[in-house]
Amino acid sequence: MQTQQRPVFQLVSYVLILSQLVYFSYADVGTAAQYSPPYLPTACYGDDQTQFPSSNLFAAAGDGIWDNGASCGRQYLVRCISASQPGTCVEDQTIQVKIVDYAPTAQSPPSTQSTTIVLSETAFGGITNIAVDSINIEFQQV
């Protein structure tokens, strides 16, 4: 009886140790561009100036997260994870943005087409060190 319990105990121990080493991420990976003023009118709220957060951390949704307009008002945590130029991303910097527009119909064209999300100038500058057209991001709805 004693010999059968030992392998089970070892197996449980290994599983517990491995579970501590594995990191589960609930975020998605995509791309981001930036856009500049004018930002009005938007697909979500038209000409309403109050749609923009006072922090100016807002974004236009790309086709992948637009969800037929259901993304309007959603909040996302966004972090730059890489870019074509080394040193572009601000290390360990995450911003929270509000979706206020639909990227393909935004008043101002994005720096790169067909990205997951298009960030305001302020938002893009908050997670990048240098000017680039697009970045790779990790994002999560909150």
Side-chain angles (χ1 to χ4, degrees):
M1 187 81 148
Q2 186 88 342
T3 59
Q4 289 179 346
Q5 289 178 345
R6 190 169 195 183
V8 171
F9 177 73
Q10 285 178 334
L11 178 64
V12 170
S13 297
Y14 290 133
V15 169
L16 287 174
I17 291 169
L18 285 175
S19 71
Q20 296 301 311
L21 299 175
V22 176
Y23 172 75
F24 292 101
S25 175
Y26 298 104
D28 290 310
V29 176
T31 55
Q34 67 176 320
Y35 70 135
S36 305
Y39 297 118
L40 292 174
T42 67
C44 294
Y45 306 104
D47 288 314
D48 184 5
Q49 288 276 5
T50 63
Q51 67 185 300
F52 302 111
S54 58
S55 64
N56 285 322
L57 299 177
F58 58 89
D63 286 325
I65 62 171
W66 177 241
D67 198 15
N68 291 321
S71 65
C72 290
R74 285 183 185 160
Q75 303 269 332
Y76 286 92
L77 295 175
V78 180
R79 181 174 73 94
C80 179
I81 56 174
S82 68
S84 60
Q85 295 180 3
T88 298
C89 297
V90 175
E91 292 293 319
D92 300 320
Q93 179 66 34
T94 301
I95 57 171
Q96 184 169 332
V97 297
K98 176 184 176 184
I99 300 297
V100 298
D101 208 351
Y102 179 43
T105 63
Q107 188 70 18
S108 176
S111 56
T112 300
Q113 298 292 324
S114 302
T115 58
T116 307
I117 196 166
V118 180
L119 302 169
S120 67
E121 285 182 336
T122 303
F124 197 84
I127 56 174
T128 58
N129 291 314
I130 55 178
V132 292
D133 288 338
S134 68
I135 57 174
N136 297 311
I137 58 165
E138 182 180 75
F139 67 100
Q140 177 182 5
Q141 184 179 341
V142 290

